[in-house]
Each structure stands twice: as C-alpha cells, then as structure tokens.
Amino acid sequence: MTTARTPKKESIPSAKESSKPELAVCPTCKLELPKAKLKRHKRLTHPRLPRLEILEKSAVKSSSNQSCANCNEQSHETWLFHKTTRGAVFLCSKCKPKVLKHSFSPQALERRRVASLKATLRELKERKSKLPPGTIDMDLVNSIFEVEESINRPAMRQKKWSPVLSGSFEGGKRR
C-alpha cells in the first residue's frame, strides 16, 4: 500500500506582513525607523566628528578637571591644544602621546600636504574660470600644472643619518 505524500505548505508571508518594514532603533537618539533608512538617518542627523589631529604641538596644562576629547574620561592631568582639526580640545596624559604620534606621522603629514595643495588648486581653477572667455593667463595655467604635478608626486623623503655608512646620508661604502 502506497500512500501519497501531501506537499508541505511553505511559509509564505501574508500581504500584511510583507508590507511592514523592519524597524530599527537609532543607538544615539533611540528613534524607531525603518531599517533601510537607519544609515541615512545616522549620516544626516548625527554627523561624525572629523578625525582628531593636532596641527601644532604647543599645549597648556589644564589646572581643572576636564574630559578628554579622545576617550571622554574626566581627568586632572589634561592638556589644552588650541590648533587641532576639531578646534581647541583637551587630551588626557594617556591619549596625548598616541594622538601626537598619529598627528605627526609621515602619513598624516602627507595627507595635510596633499589637502593644502588641493585647496590651492581649487582656488587657482576658480580664478581661471572667472577669466573672460578667450583670454589665457599663461602664469595661471603654469601654476595649475605645477600644483597638479606636485599633488601626484610624493613628498621628498627626509634623509636620515646612517650610523653604519660612515660620513654619509644613506650612501657610500662601509669601512
């Protein structure tokens, strides 16, 4: 005796269930919104702070209890840095060496060099676009070309004194 198998019913969501979007909660403001729109909400409503980089090493030790801009801990030993990418900030004694090392690394210096060159290039191109049609300022064209070349060219590597190679900067023969 053979029995006919009945096919299993697949779980097909009803029309009511499929029309409801999944809800997600924003971790910052606890707002409920569709999951698909959470990233956009975070980007527009809660913009990220720029990366903390110190532009000038001079700092003043704070005498009062302040919160660190990097780790948000309250500390007595904080340093006030006036010129940073976020304006004037306080850094604790734990974060200060890390942020200083990161801010003045060769990669950070190269990023700043390229950013300043791009700003100069943007200004030169804007000045060129304001010229009346049909006029060519060769000095302006040459300076735009030089800035574009220097953006693409890596920065000059600083030569270090070599203790192995006598009397030279990474060159010569060993005695």
Side-chain angles (χ1 to χ4, degrees):
M1 181 172 185
T2 59
T3 58
R5 292 187 180 182
T6 57
K8 292 183 180 179
K9 291 184 179 178
E10 293 181 24
S11 59
I12 302 172
S14 64
K16 291 180 183 177
E17 290 177 11
S18 62
S19 66
K20 289 184 181 178
E22 284 187 52
L23 292 178
V25 178
C26 174
T28 310
C29 64
K30 309 296 185 221
L31 179 71
E32 276 192 22
L33 60 153
K35 191 174 184 179
K37 295 187 178 185
L38 181 63
K39 280 187 179 180
R40 185 172 190 270
H41 165 77
K42 281 182 173 180
R43 188 178 63 244
L44 297 175
T45 311
H46 314 292
R48 290 178 30 182
L49 291 172
R51 171 184 273 165
L52 178 60
E53 286 188 9
I54 297 172
L55 305 175
E56 198 174 281
K57 287 185 179 181
S58 64
V60 178
K61 190 168 184 177
S62 174
S63 58
S64 62
N65 214 10
Q66 299 290 337
S67 68
C68 176
N70 197 37
C71 64
N72 294 326
E73 288 185 15
Q74 292 282 333
S75 177
H76 237 35
E77 299 223 357
T78 55
W79 297 83
L80 174 63
F81 288 90
H82 288 285
K83 294 194 177 180
T84 68
T85 53
R86 295 186 194 171
V89 296
F90 289 96
L91 289 176
C92 65
S93 56
K94 291 179 193 175
C95 296
K96 180 184 166 191
K98 295 175 195 172
V99 174
L100 278 171
K101 186 176 180 182
H102 169 74
S103 297
F104 293 98
S105 69
Q107 294 87 2
L109 295 175
E110 179 66 13
R111 264 196 317 268
R112 271 191 242 143
R113 181 187 78 84
V114 169
S116 68
L117 285 172
K118 284 183 177 179
T120 305
L121 180 64
R122 199 176 312 118
E123 181 182 308
L124 289 172
K125 284 186 175 181
E126 185 178 309
R127 205 180 317 161
K128 183 182 174 188
S129 69
K130 289 182 180 177
L131 287 175
T135 59
I136 298 173
D137 186 1
M138 287 308 291
D139 292 335
L140 192 59
V141 172
N142 288 337
S143 59
I144 289 173
F145 179 75
E146 289 173 8
V147 171
E148 285 175 341
E149 287 294 314
S150 59
I151 287 173
N152 297 331
R153 184 177 45 238
M156 293 293 289
R157 209 181 72 176
Q158 193 175 21
K159 294 184 177 181
K160 295 181 182 177
W161 177 259
S162 174
V164 176
L165 304 172
S166 59
S168 69
F169 288 92
E170 299 177 9
K173 294 183 179 177
R174 191 174 178 168
R175 289 186 183 187

